[in-house]
Amino acid sequence: MIKAILIFNNHGKPRLIRFYQYFAEDMQQQIIRETFHLVSKRDDNVCNFLEGGSLIGGSDYKLIYRHYATLYFVFCVDSSESELGILDLIQKMYEKVCLSLQVFVETLDKCFENVCELDLIFHMDKVHYILQEVVMGGMVLETNMNEIVAQVELQNRMEKSEGGLSAAPARAVSAVKNMNLPEIPRNINIGDINIKVPSLSPF
Amino acid sequence: MALKIVKGSIDRMFDKNLQDLVRGIRNHKEDEAKYISTCIDEIKQELKQDNIAVKANAVCKLTYLQMLGYDVSWAAFNIVEVMSSSKFTYKVSCSHQPIRGERTVDAVLITTIINSVSLPLVTQDLSSPNQYDTGVALTGLSCFVTPDLARDLASDIMTLMSHTKPYIRKKAVLIMYKVFLKYPESLRPAFPRLKEKLEDPDPGVQSAAVNVICELARRNPKNYLSLAPLFFKLMTSSTNNWVLIKIIKLFGALTPLEPRLGKKLIEPLTNLIHRALDLLYGMVSKKNLMEIVKKLMLHVDKAEGTTYRDELLTKIIDICSQSNYQYITNFEWYISILVELTRLEGTRHGHLIASQMLDVAIRVKAIRVFAVAQMATLLDNGHLLTGNMQRNGICEVLYAAAWICGEFSEHLEDPMQTLEAMLRPKVATLPGHIQAVYVQNAAKLFATVLRKQEGTTDSLAAQETSQLLIDRLPLFVQSANLEVQERASCILQLVKYIQKLQQKEVEVAEEVTALFAGELNPVAPKAQKKVPVPDGLDLDAWINEPPSESESEDEKPKAIFTKEEPKHTRPRHTEVDEKELARRREARKQEQANNPFYIKTSPSSQKVYQDQPGVEHIPVVQIDLSVPLKVPGMPMSDQYLKLEEERRQKERSERKKKEKKKKREKHGRGRRADSGPESEEDITPAHHVDIVTEEMPENALPSDDDDKDPNDPHKALDIDLDKYV
């Protein structure tokens, strides 16, 4: 059983966390800190499997991690999972996450050549999406990545079709935000209607 | 009223969504806490709105904040509310929110809320025609399922396990595990269904079922023993690696309870292990060879079945010797590995180890000194190995040991001792072919010993040596094995002759050494084929006249007894004979000159030995070999690993220093030189390895055509297709 999936960067800041066992927030943060501590000390050419640490699940757990550029992908599993299998899963998941983030990001008319940590930060919900299709309730749901991608695509399409008209303003707004507007008038006066524009914090 | 709504929606346009939140936080690095509290206030505002989209957005942001460590349990109700929305989009955003309260008051409140609110919602979703709604509901459920929820929803989820869509079935099966945890009574009714899922046509559903049952069984193995046959069938038929892994782990938990299971498992497990071992063959490299072999040796020690051990042994040797020992950097280490392998009991691959020892000792000149020392120790302790008498048993190693000591006797530290070890009476209990080698190599050793002893002015020692041989050899002369007999009697006569010469104070060492002069090099497998046909020899010509038809049919029986026939044919024979004989003689001489293993006849090859059972030489102590023996003098191969590590470290640091120096000279400032992982070419072997290449006859033409079968149909297909494109 998978106890937790953690993605954090080289400084220990969490980028995506998913616990399959209940922990209070401060426990969660402590676990993240401890895991980062254990994993960041490791050299790049040593084994990807770690034992030790006592916070999650007592003694029966190990950490399986992979380090990609600035991100650490860590799975905390117990002894019922195969280390190599999980390692393989991490690899496949990473590839698919990168791919889908790239696709997603391209649809917003931005061009990114490589998916970087920033994309993960800003589109955390997308990554959650994908993760949900891979692991559910602590157990591996699907290992065939093509299946997963297909499911995610379908759900994406559903979302878009549901969006319809009501999502139009939201989409418009995000497009606007991505533009560089020199100035927005503070008060829009259209006859009797007085709309006060709240000050936008600099993005 | 309408205006209010419009105003509201325009206001909402400027709500931050998730991206904005993240961006905002990143831009407020100094006052992050303050900024976040502002954001939380905004979120609380948003949650009070009626608009579901707004609330969903707020929940999304809450997820992010929770990741940063902020407590969001106060929003539990709102999250549930959003989940109730009919829009799929919003549901997804909160399906990964674990809703729980830490404080007891909150816990009670939230649980009640969840139970009362979620139940109808989730039920509705679960029966939704849209599979994704159901899917999302199930995922969400896995996060916040409570005992009450579990009790109420168990039957619904069980129905879902037989849904038409495999996607739903998969999720339903997995969530049953959580349901079982919260509401154990649901296990009994659900179990038959779960069992059915093990044979579901969809592989995803099947692996989900395996997953769940394995998890359950790990905690309570004895309840699941009855499923063992089913799992066994799955294991042998499944190709999905995840499923296999889970099942094997499950069997690991079950086997302690049912020993018969263990026996039955041996066969498929060994197949798997074979597959893994085969993989090893391909993945070996210079760097990791020593580590891999060390691990394998550990396995060999721990292994219980002799067949498995033998497998490992063969594998180790295969890996090490592939591609002409390409991956071995330290042959001393390899020889010590081979010697360690000799301590294995009951192996059937003694000859393999023996041939490896021979191969290495012959072809790697640099290692001969070390190898000879090891072999000498082996011979000294030969009585330990003589316990195992079967053909191809470990005593084959003595064959190699004796030959190596004899052939490279000049490297021996104490040839006299080895000579004595070779001639112990216990040797006579070894298999015949080994004894023969012993005897022959004893002779070679004798030559070396004589040379050493005659160099000094101590002629008595030399005579004593001869006497020793004369004393010991008669036991071998009486051996039942023909080869041993022949060799022993030849050598015995020779020694007797030498002794006579020695008594007349004649230097014999030189001549005796000359008997064994010359290097015996390995011969290439194609060498025989490549012997060039000498000019004038026509291999297709008849050697004898073919028998004429009439003679062969009627008068064959008479031909033996009548006198005319022999007279008739003999002159023909003699004519043919003369020329052919000459040619044949030529050919034979050439062959013999090229064949290094042809023993050239020596003038006086008679040696006589006498054997005396010396009581002091027979070891009295019988050592119980169930405990692996640490024979003094035999090196442990682990020390080579350490040596190797140290050596590579040294090389690496030296190279770093050189690079640093260069870089500093170039750039004038210190830079951290990152040498990176060593490439294969950087690893210099510990010894200079001069692998002796195989011998070929003179004027041999290099050709690869010999390998191809002349009847190969594909040869006919080898046409130039460009013409037909």
Side-chain angles (χ1 to χ4, degrees), chain A residues 1 13-18 20-22 24-26 28-29 32 60 62 78-83 85-86 88-89 92 104 108 118 121-125 128-129 132-133 136-143 147 151 154-155 158-159 162 166 169 173-174 177-178 193-198 200-203, chain B residues 3 7 10-11 13-20 22-23 26-28 32 35 60 63-64 66-73 86-90 92 95-98 100-102 130-133 136 138-139 142-143 167 170-172 174-175 177-178 204 207 211-212 215 218-219 240 242 245-246 249:
Chain A
M1 207 180 106
K13 290 199 76 164
R15 292 299 171 214
L16 188 145
I17 59 172
R18 194 89 162 91
Y20 294 100
Q21 235 180 288
Y22 175 67
E25 272 82 14
D26 48 350
Q28 290 186 357
Q29 291 299 310
I32 296 172
D60 180 24
K62 37 192 182 246
D78 68 7
S79 59
S80 77
E81 296 289 343
S82 139
E83 292 97 333
I86 298 280
D88 185 48
L89 193 66
K92 284 195 272 198
F104 177 69
L108 288 182
L118 277 177
I121 296 171
F122 282 106
H123 304 297
M124 196 187 73
D125 44 344
H128 265 289
Y129 242 49
Q132 257 168 245
E133 294 302 319
M136 188 178 98
M139 288 185 276
V140 175
L141 182 60
E142 178 67 58
T143 53
E147 262 290 312
Q151 296 294 339
L154 284 170
Q155 293 182 35
M158 262 201 75
E159 252 190 79
E162 265 186 3
S166 54
V173 172
S174 39
K177 282 175 192 162
N178 295 330
I193 307 169
N194 216 331
I195 301 169
K196 205 163 182 165
V197 179
L200 299 168
S201 44
F203 291 128
Chain B
L3 277 176
K7 186 172 177 222
I10 294 179
D11 272 341
M13 264 198 252
F14 298 106
D15 279 342
K16 297 202 207 42
N17 65 6
L18 179 62
Q19 267 91 328
D20 303 327
V22 176
R23 241 176 283 179
R26 285 169 71 84
N27 287 330
H28 285 249
E32 195 175 302
Y35 181 74
C60 237
T63 327
Y64 185 77
Q66 199 236 7
M67 185 177 80
L68 293 178
Y70 292 87
D71 176 36
V72 296
S73 51
S86 51
K87 291 268 167 79
F88 172 72
T89 326
Y90 308 132
V92 167
S95 59
H96 48 257
Q97 278 281 36
R100 290 257 212 131
E102 188 54 38
N130 183 347
Q131 65 165 332
Y132 294 108
D133 277 345
V136 164
L138 286 172
T139 316
S142 71
C143 292
Y167 179 72
K170 223 173 21 177
K171 289 203 164 181
L174 274 188
I175 207 153
Y177 181 64
K178 289 272 166 169
S207 55
N211 234 329
V212 171
E215 279 295 323
R218 283 183 77 236
R219 318 289 167 180
N240 184 342
W242 282 86
I245 293 171
K246 286 276 165 181
K249 292 223 175 217

Side-chain angles (χ1 to χ4, degrees), chain B residues 599-626:
Chain B
I599 302 177
K600 298 170 182 60
T601 50
S602 51
S604 55
S605 49
Q606 296 283 314
K607 290 190 185 179
V608 174
Y609 286 96
Q610 207 183 45
D611 189 76
Q612 206 176 49
V615 177
E616 12 357 315
H617 294 290
I618 299 174
V620 175
V621 179
Q622 279 299 323
I623 303 176
D624 178 48
L625 280 177
S626 55

Side-chain angles (χ1 to χ4, degrees), chain B residues 24 175 230 292 301 360 369 402 421 473 499 530 540 557 620 649 651:
Chain B
I175 207 153
L230 182 56
I292 290 180
D301 274 335
V360 171
V369 181
L473 276 177
Q499 200 183 40
K530 295 226 173 123
D540 295 323
V620 175
Q649 280 281 13
E651 270 184 18

Side-chain angles (χ1 to χ4, degrees), chain B residues 6 79 81 113 158 167 218 270 403 413 445 473 476 502 535 571 609 621 645 664 712:
Chain B
V6 170
I79 297 173
E81 202 189 340
I113 293 175
M158 273 202 286
Y167 179 72
R218 283 183 77 236
T270 25
W403 195 90
E413 292 235 347
L445 269 181
L473 276 177
F476 295 99
Q502 278 177 334
D535 301 330
Y609 286 96
V621 179
E645 278 301 311
R664 228 176 263 154
D712 187 5

Side-chain angles (χ1 to χ4, degrees), chain B residues 16 104-105 135 139 150 160 181 191 221-222 240 323 333 378 382 388 413 434 488 497 521 593 611 654 688 693:
Chain B
K16 297 202 207 42
T104 24
V105 172
T139 316
L160 280 178
L181 284 180
F191 196 68
K222 53 186 185 335
N240 184 342
S323 309
W333 164 84
L378 253 184
N388 182 355
E413 292 235 347
I434 301 184
Y497 185 66
N521 290 323
D611 189 76
E654 275 173 22
H688 173 64
T693 45

